[in-house]
Amino acid sequence: MGRLNNRLQMARIFLCSPAMIRIRGGFILLAALGMCGYYLYDFLHLERAGSSRVITQQAQGNFKIDVRLTNLTYDTAAHLLRATVQLEVKATQHPLEIESVVLNLQKNPDGSYDWLPFEKTDLETFETVDNPKAPHLSFAQARLNDLTLLSEPGRREIWYPFDASRVELVPRACVNLGAESCANATTAQIKSVTLDCNDPGFVLSGPEISGNKITFRMVRRPFVHFTSIVFLVVAILFFVFLLVPPGRNPPADVNNLLARSLGFIGALWGIRALIVPSTVTIFPTVVDFSILTLFGFVFALIIYRVNKLYSKEGGL
């Protein structure tokens, strides 16, 4: 162990040399500027870009349908996505009338579909015009609150804040057709699908489009990801700082280590409360495992230093 202490002392002398101080100062400055730049980019772009997505499709036929999923919120316990569905249906020519609409958003695991019927009493219909010289066209709107969508956990909740949920949509809608006829129809009438996330803890990632299949993920906000990594790196650096004894007086070094360790443990617990707020009911998470691991290393270091001090002084 004497060799280890000598090497730690040599490392300390090297790190405190004037050249290393200048290098360390430049590195810290670059790291601080990089952090500020990322947080500014996150505030101005990432947070806003992750709240909404618009997927356009090639609508065919006599009607065009815009589907909007708003108030998207993710239930981590049930692995369900909740949303409000808004439909806008427009005829492409006169005198077509909108009598009913059927909508499906997902394919069940058994291959079946759950159709959402909108009858004429559910539709708010009126006429619109694109060109003053053109005839009026039929237009309808509908709304369905608290729709539940199935999702698959991309990463389990134990990986918080790096957990994620995967949602697959197979949107299909038809006007003036029944569910069975719409399932067999070859003409796509959906013009666009809009996703609006309203969950304070998640943002949208994706989507990936393959044919009429739309796949997107609900992930934690980039701010939480980056902040968690920064705090972990800082905590590891502070632990490395605890490894280097500040002087050559063993009793004073042990007392100093105990004081610094208590401050370090309190800081780790405060970081845990900041990264995992009270609104997150998941326990344990990868954050808890990381903090408990650092706790274990700190206690092991304290026991080693105290045992070494008593061994040199001949025991208690």
Side-chain angles (χ1 to χ4, degrees), residues 47-112:
E47 298 291 336
R48 194 173 299 175
S51 62
S52 181
R53 293 287 190 276
V54 179
I55 304 101
T56 58
Q57 297 184 334
Q58 296 294 328
Q60 302 171 351
N62 298 324
F63 298 93
K64 293 182 179 180
I65 304 173
D66 292 309
V67 181
R68 191 179 188 93
L69 300 180
T70 62
N71 300 325
L72 285 170
T73 55
Y74 180 58
D75 187 341
T76 54
H79 301 296
L80 294 175
L81 193 68
R82 306 187 189 282
T84 298
V85 182
Q86 296 177 349
L87 290 181
E88 292 185 356
V89 186
K90 182 179 179 180
T92 58
Q93 54 183 313
H94 183 76
L96 296 174
E97 296 295 333
I98 303 172
E99 300 292 338
S100 64
V101 181
V102 290
L103 170 68
N104 173 74
L105 291 174
Q106 288 188 306
K107 191 174 184 179
N108 295 324
D110 59 0
S112 62

Side-chain angles (χ1 to χ4, degrees), residues 124-141:
E124 182 183 355
T125 58
F126 48 93
E127 292 186 342
T128 184
V129 60
D130 294 332
N131 188 331
K133 297 181 180 180
H136 288 205
L137 302 174
S138 297
F139 185 85
Q141 292 179 329

Side-chain angles (χ1 to χ4, degrees), residues 126-307:
F126 48 93
E127 292 186 342
T128 184
V129 60
D130 294 332
N131 188 331
K133 297 181 180 180
H136 288 205
L137 302 174
S138 297
F139 185 85
Q141 292 179 329
R143 180 186 179 96
L144 178 63
N145 296 318
D146 199 20
L147 176 69
T148 300
L149 299 173
L150 300 177
S151 65
E152 300 175 359
R155 293 193 196 96
R156 292 289 179 179
E157 290 78 10
I158 195 173
W159 289 101
Y160 175 91
F162 303 100
D163 55 332
S165 173
R166 179 176 175 273
V167 182
E168 184 177 287
L169 301 179
V170 188
R172 177 177 287 269
C174 297
V175 180
N176 301 336
L177 288 177
E180 184 176 350
S181 300
C182 187
N184 298 323
T186 58
T187 302
Q189 295 184 341
I190 294 182
K191 178 183 176 183
S192 68
V193 177
T194 303
L195 307 173
D196 286 331
C197 180
N198 197 37
D199 195 314
F202 289 87
V203 294
L204 298 171
S205 176
E208 300 174 1
I209 303 173
S210 177
N212 67 330
K213 183 188 298 183
I214 302 171
T215 304
F216 66 94
R217 295 193 308 152
M218 299 284 287
V219 300
R220 302 284 176 179
R221 295 187 175 274
F223 175 87
V224 182
H225 290 171
F226 186 73
T227 303
S228 301
I229 295 173
V230 169
F231 280 150
L232 177 61
V233 172
V234 171
I236 293 174
L237 291 177
F238 269 92
F239 175 74
V240 173
F241 175 73
L242 291 177
L243 289 175
V244 182
R248 294 183 177 277
N249 184 357
D253 290 349
V254 170
N255 292 333
N256 192 290
L257 174 64
L258 290 174
R260 290 187 298 167
S261 298
L262 288 176
F264 180 70
I265 291 173
L268 285 180
W269 192 252
I271 289 173
R272 196 268 176 195
L274 179 63
I275 298 177
V276 188
S278 58
T279 54
V280 179
T281 58
I282 306 167
F283 183 85
T285 67
V286 68
V287 175
D288 300 302
F289 284 111
S290 301
I291 290 177
L292 290 175
T293 300
L294 288 173
F295 278 178
F297 282 132
V298 171
F299 287 134
L301 178 62
I302 293 174
I303 293 172
Y304 166 72
R305 291 279 175 80
V306 172
N307 182 66

